[in-house]
Amino acid sequence: MLLTHVRNTHIKEIMSWFLNEKEVHAWAGPNFRYPYDFNSFKKGLKLDEINSFVLLADDNTLMAFGQFYLRIGCCHLGRLVVNPEYRGGGIVATLITQLSELGQLTLATQTCSLFVLAHNKSAIKAYKKLGFVLADYPEPIPLANCLYMTKTPG
């Protein structure tokens, strides 16, 4: 699978992965506009400000999306989502591994971090399997019911 920059052609498909406002806000945060159109979705992702990538299968099937940016000295992973048709097949591990490696190199940092909703047990389990651990966040966490996780090599 190949991690590549997100393109406009990917946006409409990613938009279709969310069936309602609750799903969108669980993924993108409560300030993400809903309902959305192509332009508001693209603007909400802050594609001009945040490193944004898609994971493509060998046949160019869009498998996943994710972003990274520098947050408190860490390569912070955000808005991670796997194509609903392929969830549960380990795609998230490929996405996080490739996104983390690229982010750490780009941002010159060794530690990765992410937020996850406390009720999202399957995501927490997947992140722990990849070496992430629950950690204290040095500031107030921006969302209620949110956990902070980090991963440092070694």
Side-chain angles (χ1 to χ4, degrees):
M1 282 189 245
L2 173 70
L3 190 70
T4 187
H5 286 279
V6 68
R7 294 185 171 80
N8 283 340
T9 55
H10 302 129
I11 302 297
K12 284 188 180 180
E13 186 170 351
I14 295 166
M15 288 170 57
S16 74
W17 293 353
F18 305 98
L19 303 178
N20 55 53
E21 184 175 12
K22 183 178 178 181
E23 288 182 6
V24 170
H25 289 169
W27 169 67
N31 297 324
F32 201 89
R33 182 177 169 184
Y34 188 90
Y36 47 74
D37 59 27
F38 177 81
N39 290 325
S40 66
F41 193 87
K42 190 174 169 181
K43 183 178 178 181
L45 290 177
K46 300 179 182 181
L47 297 177
D48 295 333
E49 302 167 39
I50 300 176
N51 295 292
S52 304
F53 294 87
V54 292
L55 187 64
L56 300 176
D58 294 338
D59 65 358
N60 282 328
T61 299
L62 182 56
M63 303 300 288
F65 171 86
Q67 298 178 303
F68 69 79
Y69 58 94
L70 192 63
R71 184 181 198 122
I72 310 182
C74 298
C75 169
H76 190 79
L77 307 179
R79 296 195 174 127
L80 305 171
V81 63
V82 172
N83 182 330
E85 294 181 31
Y86 299 96
R87 290 181 185 157
I91 303 295
V92 72
T94 304
L95 174 67
I96 288 176
T97 299
Q98 290 190 26
L99 203 58
S100 295
E101 289 172 359
L102 180 59
Q104 289 170 319
L105 182 65
T106 302
L107 302 172
T109 184
Q110 293 295 308
T111 302
C112 287
S113 64
L114 54 82
F115 291 117
V116 60
L117 292 173
H119 72 270
N120 193 345
K121 302 298 182 196
S122 61
I124 294 167
K125 181 179 177 182
Y127 301 151
K128 284 182 175 180
K129 188 174 180 181
L130 292 168
F132 283 83
V133 296
L134 294 173
D136 291 328
Y137 190 65
E139 300 174 355
I141 291 186
L143 295 174
N145 301 316
C146 210
L147 303 173
Y148 181 66
M149 300 182 80
T150 62
K151 177 182 179 182
T152 304

